[in-house]
Amino acid sequence: MVRELAGLPTDKDSVRALDRMHVFHSWSAQGLIDPLPIASAEGSYFTDYDGNRYLDFASQLVNVNIGHQHPKLLAAIVEYAQKMTMIQPAFANDARSEAARLIAELAPGELNHVFFTNGGAEATENALRMARLHTGRHKVLAAYRSYHGATAGAISMTGDPRRWGAEPGVPGVVHYWGPYLYRSAFHAATPEEETERALRHLRDLIMVEGAHTVAAIILETIVGTNGVLVPPPGYLTGVREICDEFGIVMIADEVMAGFGRAGEWFAVQHWGVTPDLITFAKGVNSGYLPLGGVLISDAIATSFAERVYPGGLTYSGHPLACASAVASINIFKDEKVIENARRLGTDVIGPELAKIADRHPSIGEFRGLGVFWAVELVRDRATREPLVPFNAAGADARPMVELAAACRQRGLWPMIHFNGVHIVPPCTSTEREVREGLAILDEALNITDSCYTGSAE
Ligand SMILES: Cc1ncc(COP(=O)(O)O)c(C=O)c1O
C-alpha cells in the first residue's frame, strides 16, 4: 500500500525519475545506479512500489535494530515533535538530559558523559579530537580492517578501500592489523596465538612510532562491515593493558556493534573491558532520526572542565533525536530486545549456519554473536581463496552479485560485502523470520557452490 502524502510524488516512476535527475548518491558512480523506490516498511520487512516485500536481513545499514516503524517509537517522536522540535545545544533540554543519563547508565565503568552528534563519523571524529587534546599527542593507531566514517579524520582512520579516494588523509594515522584468525596476518594457528601476536604487533608499532606520540588506539569492538570479526579471548583486555601502560586513550567504535546488535548494550560488555571513549550511533535510536555520540570517561571529561572543548554541531543533542533515543532505550528494556538478539544468535542463527555450512562447500567460515553474523565464501576450503578478490568490482564480483539477486528474487534483502554475506536482521526479529531468511540464503548459496573449485570434503 502506497501512502500518499501531500506535496510528494506518488508513483514509482516519478520517484525514480526525480531521484535520477537530482539526488547525488553516496559511494556511487551516479550513471551506473538504479535505486529501487521503496513504498513502505514495517517490522522486519520493507516493500517496493510493485508490492514486492523484502525481509530486511541488512537492517538497512545495520542500524534499524528496533525494526521498521515501531509504533511506540513513532508515537514518542510525534508526541515530542508537538512539544518542541529544536533547541540549540547551549541550552539544557529534558530529552537530551535523559538520553545522556540513560546511555551513561547502560555503559560500563565511569563513562558518565555524552557528546551528541548526528551520526557515527562525527562521533569518531570527535573522539579522535578529544584523545589528542587530552593526551597532548597526535597519532592514532587504527585497524586496516575497519570503517570509522567518511569525514576527514574518520575516513583517514578507516582501513578499508573507502579511504583511498580521500587520501592523503589527516596526518598521524598509523594502521595496524587486528586479530582475524581465519586470515591471520601473524601466521597464527590458535585464538591464543592470534591474540598474543596481534598484541605484540601493537606493541612493536608503539615502540617504533614512539609511545609519547600516540594519543589513541581505535578499534571496532567487533569489526563490522569488514567481516564481523569477533576478537579472540584476551585481545581487548590486552589492548586495555597496553593503553594503560603507555597512557594511550582506548576508543571503542560501537557505532555498529552497540545497542543490541551483538546481544549486549555495548559489545565490550562481552569481555568486561571499559574503554576511555565509546562511539555510538545507528542502533541508539535505529536511525528514526539522525543521532550518534561519544561516551566519555570522567578523566577525559575533566580535562575539559577548565578549558574549552573546541568542537560542536548545530544539531548536537537535537531534542527530537534525543527523545527518540530515550523512547527506543525504554522499548528495548520493556520488550527485552537485547535478550531476544542474544537468543537469536545462540539458539537460531549459530546452529542454523552450522547446518548450512555442512551443505555448502563455498562457506569457508561463519562467525558472529547476537544478530551480528557473517558467512565468508571461498573457492576452496583448503586454500581459503576468497570467492571474489578483495574489493572486487564488475565481472570479478559477479558470483556475489548473482547471490544477492537470487536472495532478492526470493524476498530476502541481504547485506553483501566483498566475499561475505552478513546476517544482520533487526534485533526485534522473530525466530520465524530469521529461519525464513536463512532458508532463502541456504537455497541461494547453490549459486556460489557452483564456483567452488576445491575438492569435496
Ligand atoms: C563501525 C562504524 N563506525 C562509524 C560509522 C560511520 O557512521 P555514519 O555513517 O553514521 O557516519 C559506521 C557506519 O557504517 C560504522 O559501521
Side-chain angles (χ1 to χ4, degrees), residues 120 124 147-149 218-222 251-258 277-280:
T124 55
Y147 181 69
H148 294 296
I218 186 168
L219 48 81
E220 290 177 71
T221 308
I222 295 172
I251 307 173
D253 181 345
E254 296 235 357
V255 167
M256 192 177 275
L277 298 170
I278 295 181
T279 57
F280 65 87

PDB file of all heavy atoms in Angstrom, residues 120 124 147-149 218-222 251-258 277-280:
ATOM      1  N   GLY A 120      27.695   8.432  13.100  1.00  0.00           N
ATOM      2  CA  GLY A 120      28.910   7.748  13.511  1.00  0.00           C
ATOM      3  C   GLY A 120      30.193   8.481  13.165  1.00  0.00           C
ATOM      4  O   GLY A 120      31.127   8.524  13.969  1.00  0.00           O
ATOM      5  N   THR A 124      33.325   9.453  15.741  1.00  0.00           N
ATOM      6  CA  THR A 124      34.734   9.033  15.750  1.00  0.00           C
ATOM      7  C   THR A 124      35.645  10.241  15.540  1.00  0.00           C
ATOM      8  O   THR A 124      36.727  10.324  16.116  1.00  0.00           O
ATOM      9  CB  THR A 124      35.020   7.935  14.698  1.00  0.00           C
ATOM     10  OG1 THR A 124      34.598   8.383  13.427  1.00  0.00           O
ATOM     11  CG2 THR A 124      34.308   6.662  15.037  1.00  0.00           C
ATOM     12  N   TYR A 147      36.037   0.358   9.408  1.00  0.00           N
ATOM     13  CA  TYR A 147      35.379   1.538   8.837  1.00  0.00           C
ATOM     14  C   TYR A 147      34.971   2.423  10.002  1.00  0.00           C
ATOM     15  O   TYR A 147      34.359   1.960  10.963  1.00  0.00           O
ATOM     16  CB  TYR A 147      34.155   1.154   7.993  1.00  0.00           C
ATOM     17  CG  TYR A 147      33.501   2.380   7.390  1.00  0.00           C
ATOM     18  CD1 TYR A 147      34.145   3.099   6.390  1.00  0.00           C
ATOM     19  CD2 TYR A 147      32.268   2.852   7.863  1.00  0.00           C
ATOM     20  CE1 TYR A 147      33.584   4.256   5.852  1.00  0.00           C
ATOM     21  CE2 TYR A 147      31.707   4.004   7.331  1.00  0.00           C
ATOM     22  CZ  TYR A 147      32.363   4.697   6.330  1.00  0.00           C
ATOM     23  OH  TYR A 147      31.815   5.838   5.809  1.00  0.00           O
ATOM     24  N   HIS A 148      35.342   3.706   9.930  1.00  0.00           N
ATOM     25  CA  HIS A 148      35.024   4.619  11.032  1.00  0.00           C
ATOM     26  C   HIS A 148      34.229   5.840  10.581  1.00  0.00           C
ATOM     27  O   HIS A 148      34.002   6.739  11.392  1.00  0.00           O
ATOM     28  CB  HIS A 148      36.310   5.062  11.734  1.00  0.00           C
ATOM     29  CG  HIS A 148      37.022   3.942  12.432  1.00  0.00           C
ATOM     30  ND1 HIS A 148      36.470   3.251  13.492  1.00  0.00           N
ATOM     31  CD2 HIS A 148      38.235   3.360  12.202  1.00  0.00           C
ATOM     32  CE1 HIS A 148      37.321   2.295  13.896  1.00  0.00           C
ATOM     33  NE2 HIS A 148      38.376   2.344  13.125  1.00  0.00           N
ATOM     34  N   GLY A 149      33.827   5.909   9.297  1.00  0.00           N
ATOM     35  CA  GLY A 149      33.042   7.048   8.848  1.00  0.00           C
ATOM     36  C   GLY A 149      33.736   7.791   7.723  1.00  0.00           C
ATOM     37  O   GLY A 149      34.884   7.504   7.388  1.00  0.00           O
ATOM     38  N   ILE A 218      42.227   3.141  18.231  1.00  0.00           N
ATOM     39  CA  ILE A 218      40.791   2.988  17.968  1.00  0.00           C
ATOM     40  C   ILE A 218      40.565   1.603  17.379  1.00  0.00           C
ATOM     41  O   ILE A 218      41.384   1.118  16.589  1.00  0.00           O
ATOM     42  CB  ILE A 218      40.257   4.099  17.027  1.00  0.00           C
ATOM     43  CG1 ILE A 218      38.721   4.006  16.901  1.00  0.00           C
ATOM     44  CG2 ILE A 218      40.893   4.071  15.645  1.00  0.00           C
ATOM     45  CD1 ILE A 218      38.064   5.212  16.243  1.00  0.00           C
ATOM     46  N   LEU A 219      39.483   0.970  17.811  1.00  0.00           N
ATOM     47  CA  LEU A 219      39.112  -0.326  17.231  1.00  0.00           C
ATOM     48  C   LEU A 219      37.600  -0.455  17.240  1.00  0.00           C
ATOM     49  O   LEU A 219      36.916   0.146  18.070  1.00  0.00           O
ATOM     50  CB  LEU A 219      39.749  -1.481  18.010  1.00  0.00           C
ATOM     51  CG  LEU A 219      39.648  -1.492  19.534  1.00  0.00           C
ATOM     52  CD1 LEU A 219      38.314  -2.018  20.018  1.00  0.00           C
ATOM     53  CD2 LEU A 219      40.763  -2.353  20.111  1.00  0.00           C
ATOM     54  N   GLU A 220      37.082  -1.199  16.268  1.00  0.00           N
ATOM     55  CA  GLU A 220      35.683  -1.611  16.333  1.00  0.00           C
ATOM     56  C   GLU A 220      35.679  -2.821  17.257  1.00  0.00           C
ATOM     57  O   GLU A 220      36.384  -3.801  16.992  1.00  0.00           O
ATOM     58  CB  GLU A 220      35.175  -2.015  14.955  1.00  0.00           C
ATOM     59  CG  GLU A 220      35.005  -0.882  13.982  1.00  0.00           C
ATOM     60  CD  GLU A 220      34.569  -1.398  12.610  1.00  0.00           C
ATOM     61  OE1 GLU A 220      33.427  -1.842  12.479  1.00  0.00           O
ATOM     62  OE2 GLU A 220      35.388  -1.365  11.682  1.00  0.00           O
ATOM     63  N   THR A 221      34.887  -2.777  18.310  1.00  0.00           N
ATOM     64  CA  THR A 221      34.894  -3.874  19.287  1.00  0.00           C
ATOM     65  C   THR A 221      34.713  -5.211  18.571  1.00  0.00           C
ATOM     66  O   THR A 221      35.426  -6.177  18.838  1.00  0.00           O
ATOM     67  CB  THR A 221      33.773  -3.669  20.321  1.00  0.00           C
ATOM     68  OG1 THR A 221      33.898  -2.348  20.838  1.00  0.00           O
ATOM     69  CG2 THR A 221      33.848  -4.679  21.429  1.00  0.00           C
ATOM     70  N   ILE A 222      33.708  -5.269  17.693  1.00  0.00           N
ATOM     71  CA  ILE A 222      33.596  -6.375  16.737  1.00  0.00           C
ATOM     72  C   ILE A 222      33.651  -5.692  15.381  1.00  0.00           C
ATOM     73  O   ILE A 222      32.799  -4.837  15.090  1.00  0.00           O
ATOM     74  CB  ILE A 222      32.261  -7.131  16.900  1.00  0.00           C
ATOM     75  CG1 ILE A 222      32.203  -7.809  18.278  1.00  0.00           C
ATOM     76  CG2 ILE A 222      32.082  -8.148  15.776  1.00  0.00           C
ATOM     77  CD1 ILE A 222      30.849  -8.419  18.617  1.00  0.00           C
ATOM     78  N   ILE A 251      39.792   3.890  22.312  1.00  0.00           N
ATOM     79  CA  ILE A 251      38.489   4.267  21.740  1.00  0.00           C
ATOM     80  C   ILE A 251      37.842   3.014  21.162  1.00  0.00           C
ATOM     81  O   ILE A 251      38.404   2.382  20.260  1.00  0.00           O
ATOM     82  CB  ILE A 251      38.635   5.301  20.597  1.00  0.00           C
ATOM     83  CG1 ILE A 251      39.445   6.522  21.046  1.00  0.00           C
ATOM     84  CG2 ILE A 251      37.259   5.711  20.069  1.00  0.00           C
ATOM     85  CD1 ILE A 251      39.762   7.506  19.897  1.00  0.00           C
ATOM     86  N   ALA A 252      36.668   2.651  21.675  1.00  0.00           N
ATOM     87  CA  ALA A 252      35.903   1.539  21.088  1.00  0.00           C
ATOM     88  C   ALA A 252      34.827   2.139  20.194  1.00  0.00           C
ATOM     89  O   ALA A 252      33.966   2.879  20.665  1.00  0.00           O
ATOM     90  CB  ALA A 252      35.279   0.685  22.175  1.00  0.00           C
ATOM     91  N   ASP A 253      34.910   1.836  18.907  1.00  0.00           N
ATOM     92  CA  ASP A 253      33.883   2.293  17.970  1.00  0.00           C
ATOM     93  C   ASP A 253      32.761   1.263  17.992  1.00  0.00           C
ATOM     94  O   ASP A 253      32.910   0.155  17.478  1.00  0.00           O
ATOM     95  CB  ASP A 253      34.490   2.432  16.569  1.00  0.00           C
ATOM     96  CG  ASP A 253      33.469   2.923  15.541  1.00  0.00           C
ATOM     97  OD1 ASP A 253      32.265   2.884  15.837  1.00  0.00           O
ATOM     98  OD2 ASP A 253      33.886   3.319  14.437  1.00  0.00           O
ATOM     99  N   GLU A 254      31.642   1.641  18.625  1.00  0.00           N
ATOM    100  CA  GLU A 254      30.488   0.739  18.724  1.00  0.00           C
ATOM    101  C   GLU A 254      29.319   1.264  17.910  1.00  0.00           C
ATOM    102  O   GLU A 254      28.150   0.995  18.213  1.00  0.00           O
ATOM    103  CB  GLU A 254      30.107   0.542  20.198  1.00  0.00           C
ATOM    104  CG  GLU A 254      31.202  -0.138  20.992  1.00  0.00           C
ATOM    105  CD  GLU A 254      30.742  -1.400  21.719  1.00  0.00           C
ATOM    106  OE1 GLU A 254      29.543  -1.725  21.654  1.00  0.00           O
ATOM    107  OE2 GLU A 254      31.601  -2.051  22.343  1.00  0.00           O
ATOM    108  N   VAL A 255      29.647   2.022  16.869  1.00  0.00           N
ATOM    109  CA  VAL A 255      28.582   2.559  16.015  1.00  0.00           C
ATOM    110  C   VAL A 255      27.726   1.418  15.468  1.00  0.00           C
ATOM    111  O   VAL A 255      26.498   1.504  15.448  1.00  0.00           O
ATOM    112  CB  VAL A 255      29.195   3.417  14.889  1.00  0.00           C
ATOM    113  CG1 VAL A 255      28.178   3.741  13.815  1.00  0.00           C
ATOM    114  CG2 VAL A 255      29.788   4.706  15.471  1.00  0.00           C
ATOM    115  N   MET A 256      28.387   0.325  15.052  1.00  0.00           N
ATOM    116  CA  MET A 256      27.621  -0.810  14.526  1.00  0.00           C
ATOM    117  C   MET A 256      27.390  -1.883  15.592  1.00  0.00           C
ATOM    118  O   MET A 256      26.321  -2.489  15.660  1.00  0.00           O
ATOM    119  CB  MET A 256      28.339  -1.409  13.319  1.00  0.00           C
ATOM    120  CG  MET A 256      27.508  -2.384  12.540  1.00  0.00           C
ATOM    121  SD  MET A 256      28.328  -3.020  11.059  1.00  0.00           S
ATOM    122  CE  MET A 256      27.965  -1.763   9.849  1.00  0.00           C
ATOM    123  N   ALA A 257      28.376  -2.106  16.452  1.00  0.00           N
ATOM    124  CA  ALA A 257      28.312  -3.242  17.379  1.00  0.00           C
ATOM    125  C   ALA A 257      27.428  -2.981  18.603  1.00  0.00           C
ATOM    126  O   ALA A 257      27.012  -3.923  19.273  1.00  0.00           O
ATOM    127  CB  ALA A 257      29.720  -3.604  17.844  1.00  0.00           C
ATOM    128  N   GLY A 258      27.136  -1.697  18.876  1.00  0.00           N
ATOM    129  CA  GLY A 258      26.420  -1.355  20.096  1.00  0.00           C
ATOM    130  C   GLY A 258      24.903  -1.495  19.992  1.00  0.00           C
ATOM    131  O   GLY A 258      24.357  -1.857  18.964  1.00  0.00           O
ATOM    132  N   LEU A 277      36.773   5.952  25.699  1.00  0.00           N
ATOM    133  CA  LEU A 277      35.729   6.599  24.889  1.00  0.00           C
ATOM    134  C   LEU A 277      35.001   5.500  24.116  1.00  0.00           C
ATOM    135  O   LEU A 277      35.648   4.562  23.617  1.00  0.00           O
ATOM    136  CB  LEU A 277      36.346   7.584  23.883  1.00  0.00           C
ATOM    137  CG  LEU A 277      37.138   8.772  24.451  1.00  0.00           C
ATOM    138  CD1 LEU A 277      37.881   9.508  23.321  1.00  0.00           C
ATOM    139  CD2 LEU A 277      36.209   9.760  25.171  1.00  0.00           C
ATOM    140  N   ILE A 278      33.685   5.606  24.027  1.00  0.00           N
ATOM    141  CA  ILE A 278      32.918   4.696  23.158  1.00  0.00           C
ATOM    142  C   ILE A 278      32.141   5.571  22.179  1.00  0.00           C
ATOM    143  O   ILE A 278      31.450   6.514  22.594  1.00  0.00           O
ATOM    144  CB  ILE A 278      31.903   3.832  23.949  1.00  0.00           C
ATOM    145  CG1 ILE A 278      32.616   2.868  24.903  1.00  0.00           C
ATOM    146  CG2 ILE A 278      31.005   3.052  22.992  1.00  0.00           C
ATOM    147  CD1 ILE A 278      31.665   1.963  25.710  1.00  0.00           C
ATOM    148  N   THR A 279      32.260   5.271  20.898  1.00  0.00           N
ATOM    149  CA  THR A 279      31.416   5.987  19.929  1.00  0.00           C
ATOM    150  C   THR A 279      30.203   5.121  19.616  1.00  0.00           C
ATOM    151  O   THR A 279      30.296   3.893  19.557  1.00  0.00           O
ATOM    152  CB  THR A 279      32.184   6.289  18.633  1.00  0.00           C
ATOM    153  OG1 THR A 279      32.666   5.051  18.087  1.00  0.00           O
ATOM    154  CG2 THR A 279      33.354   7.221  18.898  1.00  0.00           C
ATOM    155  N   PHE A 280      29.063   5.781  19.445  1.00  0.00           N
ATOM    156  CA  PHE A 280      27.821   5.056  19.134  1.00  0.00           C
ATOM    157  C   PHE A 280      27.012   5.867  18.126  1.00  0.00           C
ATOM    158  O   PHE A 280      27.267   7.053  17.910  1.00  0.00           O
ATOM    159  CB  PHE A 280      27.005   4.799  20.419  1.00  0.00           C
ATOM    160  CG  PHE A 280      26.513   6.069  21.077  1.00  0.00           C
ATOM    161  CD1 PHE A 280      25.309   6.648  20.711  1.00  0.00           C
ATOM    162  CD2 PHE A 280      27.268   6.710  22.064  1.00  0.00           C
ATOM    163  CE1 PHE A 280      24.860   7.830  21.302  1.00  0.00           C
ATOM    164  CE2 PHE A 280      26.830   7.885  22.655  1.00  0.00           C
ATOM    165  CZ  PHE A 280      25.624   8.446  22.275  1.00  0.00           C
TER     166      PHE A 280
END
